[in-house]
Amino acid sequence: LSLSPTAASGFLRALPKPTPGFLERLGRIRDQVRESWAEAALLEAHLLVTDWTEGYPDSVAVRGVFSIGDGTVTAIENAPGEDVSISISNTPWMGSQVMQWPIAMELDIAESRLQEAGFGSTYRTLTLRQPVYPGMVEPYWIFGTRSGFVFVGSKSKSVKQSN
């Protein structure tokens, strides 16, 4: 909470702190992982929603997947500001390319592009990744919508549907 004077009374009132966005939370996760593994490279990130949602629900977990040498680190922040839990696997993560940090597009812009393209604003899954597939040349916000998977390019802002 922060304190702000009110104009009429001169009293202070508590203002809620803004909830950190998806990329802010992912950046915090990335920083904590890189404290132990400086070479850690971001492969994927997920918003761990449990039901259909309309827009970024700030009270759900964010998971980051990182490459470290021949292994993988998975790190989860269950709620904004909570400690990050980290697990390590001695196997590589397949199917995703390393994403350059920072990511070029915030989630709220990707959500706007999704809606503008006619897919609504409701989704059940959200993944940020750059798949290892022909033609996938940038990180994508991948929304699991009622119409199937919709890819929003983080650089091009293009919107593509895939089932």
Side-chain angles (χ1 to χ4, degrees):
L1 293 177
S2 63
L3 298 177
S4 172
T6 61
S9 67
F11 289 103
L12 295 177
R13 65 182 171 106
L15 298 175
K17 283 188 176 178
T19 302
F22 181 87
L23 289 181
E24 185 177 342
R25 291 179 65 194
L26 181 58
R28 183 174 176 269
I29 292 169
R30 179 182 174 273
D31 290 348
Q32 286 194 16
V33 168
R34 290 175 62 99
E35 285 176 9
S36 298
W37 299 276
E39 78 281 11
L42 178 62
L43 295 173
E44 289 189 12
H46 307 267
L47 187 62
L48 303 178
V49 295
T50 57
D51 203 355
W52 292 99
T53 186
E54 189 168 319
Y56 170 65
D58 56 10
S59 61
V60 299
V62 172
R63 175 176 61 191
V65 179
F66 302 85
S67 171
I68 54 162
D70 292 334
T72 304
V73 169
T74 302
I76 298 175
E77 182 188 63
N78 286 312
E82 285 190 6
D83 289 337
V84 174
S85 62
I86 294 176
S87 61
I88 304 164
S89 170
N90 291 328
T91 57
W93 190 266
M94 305 300 283
S96 292
Q97 298 180 48
V98 170
M99 290 187 286
Q100 296 303 310
W101 190 263
I103 303 300
M105 178 192 289
E106 292 285 341
L107 174 57
D108 61 335
I109 297 170
E111 288 171 335
S112 293
R113 295 289 299 139
L114 178 74
Q115 191 168 7
E116 290 166 4
F119 293 102
S121 58
T122 303
Y123 53 90
R124 182 157 189 163
T125 62
L126 175 69
T127 301
L128 174 63
R129 68 185 283 243
Q130 185 170 339
V132 181
Y133 299 124
M136 297 290 194
V137 296
E138 62 185 315
Y140 290 88
W141 293 98
I142 306 169
F143 296 90
T145 71
R146 296 184 194 280
S147 302
F149 291 102
V150 180
F151 292 68
V152 178
S154 66
K155 295 178 183 174
S156 67
K157 300 182 182 176
S158 65
V159 180
K160 305 174 189 177
Q161 184 175 13
S162 173
N163 292 324

